[in-house]
Amino acid sequence: MPAKPLKDVPEIKKQYFIALVPNSGIMNSVHALKTEIRDRFGAAHALKSPAHITLQMPFHKLESEEPRLITCLREFASREMPFHVTLDGFDCFPPRVLFVKIRDHLPLQELQARLKAHLISELGFPSPSKKRVFHPHMTIATRDLKEADFEQAWSEFNSRNFQDSFNVSSLFLLKHNGKFWDIYREFPFQGILSE
């Protein structure tokens, strides 16, 4: 008697996002800030991801679609040129988000616009329904910072100094492992300056 075929098990979608990740020194400094906020204000959600600048908000894809996503990002990164990012102090999105401020938004806004257009044309990502301004930043506290603690935290971080910089020479795909975000793939920029 032939074995009964197994029922088709539906494939589970995984969660991803696309970002820029700084060097290890900045990653450690930002991690220390996130840890301080957790210890002082009980807000630990930002510790679920490494220091990063989000270019594409989290999205779901079937794991079987992952090779196509990786190919798409590799192709995109291969045409991009490295550039420099300067971090300069802190800012906020009231009433819950604190972040390290980025001095010059334009190169990041241009990169994000090119990436978004590429994802729409190559992978069928949805076009944004409304024009949302991309405000590049590096989060240190987010959704679980209580509104009551936000004012105190912001009054302190508003006057604190934080200055650093790093070269952006890769794009990163992060993947959620069920508990936190892992840096999953790196896509080096390989564009060549034209003379």
Side-chain angles (χ1 to χ4, degrees):
M1 178 178 246
K4 289 183 179 177
L6 295 173
K7 284 190 172 181
D8 287 337
V9 178
E11 192 178 358
I12 297 172
K13 287 188 172 187
K14 297 294 182 175
Q15 197 172 18
Y16 305 88
F17 77 91
I18 303 165
L20 302 176
V21 175
N23 60 49
S24 61
I26 293 173
M27 286 183 76
N28 291 337
S29 297
V30 171
H31 184 80
L33 293 167
K34 293 178 181 186
T35 302
E36 176 188 344
I37 288 171
R38 179 202 62 200
D39 294 347
R40 294 186 57 213
F41 301 104
H45 189 79
L47 283 163
K48 291 185 177 190
S49 61
H52 67 277
I53 301 167
T54 302
L55 295 176
Q56 171 60 51
M57 296 294 287
F59 58 93
H60 291 87
K61 287 279 181 195
L62 295 171
E63 275 191 301
S64 61
E65 298 175 301
E66 195 176 278
R68 190 167 167 222
L69 173 62
I70 288 168
T71 298
C72 175
L73 294 176
R74 186 178 298 122
E75 177 186 287
F76 175 80
S78 73
R79 296 189 302 260
E80 291 297 320
M81 295 296 305
F83 61 95
H84 199 71
V85 167
T86 300
L87 307 174
D88 187 14
F90 298 94
D91 206 342
C92 66
F93 299 135
R96 296 193 189 282
V97 179
L98 299 176
F99 57 88
V100 176
K101 188 167 49 172
I102 294 164
R103 188 181 295 163
D104 182 8
H105 288 189
L106 188 59
L108 292 160
Q109 288 169 330
E110 291 174 342
L111 174 66
Q112 192 264 353
R114 288 191 301 272
L115 175 63
K116 189 166 279 299
H118 189 72
L119 293 172
I120 290 168
S121 71
E122 299 300 315
L123 294 177
F125 271 52
S127 295
S129 54
K130 58 183 176 190
K131 186 73 173 166
R132 193 171 167 191
V133 176
F134 172 61
H135 187 102
H137 61 282
M138 202 172 283
T139 301
I140 58 170
T142 185
R143 64 181 75 169
D144 62 341
L145 180 62
K146 294 181 177 74
E147 289 188 45
D149 292 329
F150 172 83
E151 291 302 327
Q152 181 187 345
W154 174 233
S155 69
E156 293 177 25
F157 278 89
N158 186 29
S159 58
R160 276 171 71 167
N161 187 38
F162 186 97
Q163 292 190 321
D164 213 328
S165 62
F166 65 100
N167 286 320
V168 173
S169 57
S170 293
L171 193 69
F172 292 83
L173 179 65
L174 287 86
K175 185 176 182 180
H176 204 274
N177 67 19
K179 293 185 178 180
F180 52 85
W181 293 97
D182 292 320
I183 296 174
Y184 186 59
R185 291 278 193 278
E186 179 178 2
F187 304 95
F189 292 171
Q190 298 172 9
I192 299 188
L193 287 170
S194 57
E195 298 199 23

